[in-house]
Amino acid sequence: MAGIRKRTGKKSFTAIFIFCFVLLLAGCGSGTGGDVVPQEEMESSEPDEGDIVIGISQVGSESDWRTTNTEAYLNTFTEEKGYYLIFEDGQQKQENQVKALRKFILKGVDYIVLDPIVETGWDAVLKEAKDANIPVIIADRNVLVEDESLYICRVGSDFMQEGRNAGEWLAKNLELRGRENTDINIVTLQGTLGSTAQLGRTLGFAEVMEKHPNWNMLEYQSGDFTQAKAYEVMEYFLDTYDDIDVVISENDNMAFGAIEAIKEARLRLGRNGDIMIISFDAVRDALLLVQKGEIAADFECNPITAPLVEEIIQKLERGEAVEKVQYVEETYFDYKMDIEMLLENRTY
Ligand code: AHR
């Protein structure tokens, strides 16, 4: 466990005014990426004496999942609870995230929370944080660094398990339909290449695929976790292959783009149609499509990591040890479930 910095009263900070950002995010949940308020227009403020100052470097605003994930941070680390939050949107670029981390280090924040876009390329900046004695918590996706003591812990999804679960679900579903031995043509819309969510889901599914020689992966292509890009990739898949049975979409926003393209091609969606979509995230709009049968199964990626991050920070504040890896609880949804009832108790 890294040492904990002592807070020494007021520091000179220019805070990014978080709610402006959230209001903007709320309007851009369909994967096109959102505008960011120019920094000079944002409100300036100072942390109060005793506030816990946290710098969060977020991936971007590429998906509905991300919007929920960001909102959870903002609702968790509130002024009322004694937090002072500096939120930086990386806009899907690692260089922006590295800059943000350096800014946090310069400002001398108490904690850094990093939701890294990709796994590699963090060694140098995390070493700078460690040298400045600032504990770093990795949230959502993971980092791959030579020295794991550069960060305190990681909290997020077991993406590989999500991929395996999707594969196992497909195997069972094909068996139920008596198609376990027929040729099954699959295409995969991958997430941002090199991100843990992409790597885990691709590898987990591939593990199951190895047990099924009749499954043919026609092509993998990245849709960068966005609806717009996935729409284009799906159009290309449909132009190139005339017998796609299954689309693996590594997130819901890409499934939305794929559905648009498939409908335009006048193909029937669903387990008994021409093409079956398996997706990841299980955001509200996607679950409504599960209910309609347009998405066959959706494997949950829990976006509510913020309360766990808070728990970790509170433990560190008390000088307690924390576990190095903490996975969030996740499930899946398919046509057999009562989606309407499930949505009643779901916050995202
Ligand atoms: O890292 C989590 C992934 O990133 C989610 O599946 C996706 O929607 C998001 O953009």
Side-chain angles (χ1 to χ4, degrees):
M1 199 174 81
I4 295 160
R5 293 167 53 79
K6 271 204 157 157
R7 286 187 296 283
T8 51
K10 286 205 173 203
K11 301 178 187 114
S12 175
F13 284 90
T14 303
I16 290 183
F17 192 51
I18 295 149
F19 288 105
C20 292
F21 180 78
V22 147
L23 287 178
L24 276 166
L25 278 185
C28 61
S30 292
T32 48
D35 297 332
V36 174
V37 180
Q39 199 163 333
E40 52 286 3
E41 283 176 27
M42 290 175 186
E43 188 165 306
S44 295
S45 68
E46 297 262 306
D48 290 331
E49 176 88 42
D51 273 355
I52 298 178
V53 181
I54 303 172
I56 296 187
S57 170
Q58 177 62 289
V59 167
S61 49
E62 73 284 3
S63 63
D64 291 9
W65 186 99
R66 188 68 55 199
T67 305
T68 306
N69 180 253
T70 296
E71 282 171 356
Y73 280 129
L74 305 182
N75 294 331
T76 301
F77 295 110
T78 59
E79 254 176 71
E80 298 76 56
K81 283 157 85 180
Y83 295 109
Y84 184 89
L85 193 56
I86 310 175
F87 188 95
E88 289 277 347
D89 177 356
Q91 296 179 62
Q92 293 256 70
K93 289 201 177 87
Q94 185 177 31
E95 69 209 65
N96 291 342
Q97 290 203 287
V98 170
K99 265 190 217 148
L101 257 55
R102 297 217 158 102
K103 185 167 142 187
F104 298 153
I105 295 166
L106 265 177
K107 287 179 184 300
V109 299
D110 297 308
Y111 296 92
I112 289 176
V113 179
L114 170 64
D115 279 39
I117 177 160
V118 287
E119 290 198 340
T120 54
W122 300 104
D123 298 72
V125 71
L126 291 187
K127 169 101 177 41
E128 289 164 37
K130 190 178 180 189
D131 290 346
N133 206 21
I134 301 175
V136 177
I137 296 161
I138 307 295
D140 170 24
R141 303 174 187 174
N142 203 3
V143 292
L144 198 67
V145 283
E146 286 228 331
D147 172 5
E148 290 199 340
S149 78
L150 295 182
Y151 62 92
I152 296 286
C153 62
R154 179 205 164 213
V155 46
S157 303
D158 186 343
F159 294 110
M160 185 110 170
Q161 192 53 45
E162 289 177 3
R164 282 189 204 109
N165 292 345
E168 299 295 358
W169 183 93
L170 178 61
K172 270 201 202 111
N173 185 270
L174 292 171
E175 205 181 310
L176 278 175
R177 292 155 61 208
R179 295 194 64 192
E180 68 271 38
N181 294 318
T182 55
D183 275 355
I184 302 295
N185 291 329
I186 309 173
V187 289
T188 297
L189 288 162
Q190 292 180 297
T192 303
L193 297 179
S195 67
T196 317
Q198 177 270 311
L199 292 166
R201 289 168 186 164
T202 302
L203 294 173
F205 187 84
E207 220 178 82
V208 181
M209 207 167 63
E210 270 181 28
K211 296 187 249 166
H212 301 275
N214 56 319
W215 296 10
N216 312 315
M217 184 59 72
L218 299 172
E219 196 168 334
Y220 293 100
Q221 269 227 28
S222 174
D224 216 10
F225 285 126
T226 70
Q227 182 167 342
K229 199 143 182 224
Y231 170 80
E232 283 171 20
V233 176
M234 193 66 227
E235 270 192 323
Y236 155 78
F237 282 157
L238 292 168
D239 283 349
T240 312
Y241 307 102
D242 56 13
D243 191 16
I244 299 171
D245 298 298
V246 179
V247 176
I248 303 296
S249 173
E250 290 183 352
N251 87 342
D252 282 340
N253 285 76
M254 293 196 296
F256 301 156
I259 288 171
E260 226 180 306
I262 292 168
K263 282 186 175 170
E264 278 175 22
R266 300 188 180 282
L267 292 166
R268 289 172 308 131
L269 282 158
R271 20 193 199 100
N272 299 315
D274 304 305
I275 301 186
M276 177 161 97
I277 300 188
I278 295 177
S279 185
F280 296 87
D281 281 358
V283 298
R284 186 165 281 268
D285 284 352
L287 291 182
L288 293 171
L289 297 178
V290 173
Q291 194 174 28
K292 278 173 79 182
E294 294 188 359
I295 293 178
D298 207 329
F299 292 80
E300 185 181 39
C301 179
N302 187 340
I304 315 295
T305 42
L308 279 172
V309 173
E310 183 184 29
E311 219 176 282
I312 290 163
I313 288 177
Q314 288 302 330
K315 274 192 177 172
L316 294 173
E317 285 289 298
R318 295 192 295 270
E320 294 172 19
V322 295
E323 276 176 55
K324 193 77 182 176
V325 183
Q326 299 185 37
Y327 290 126
V328 284
E329 273 185 37
E330 295 178 332
T331 180
Y332 77 97
F333 303 89
D334 69 8
Y335 63 95
K336 290 192 223 108
M337 298 168 184
D338 185 345
I339 303 288
E340 213 163 285
M341 197 188 80
L342 289 166
L343 282 175
E344 274 174 26
N345 307 314
R346 204 169 157 83
T347 54
Y348 56 93

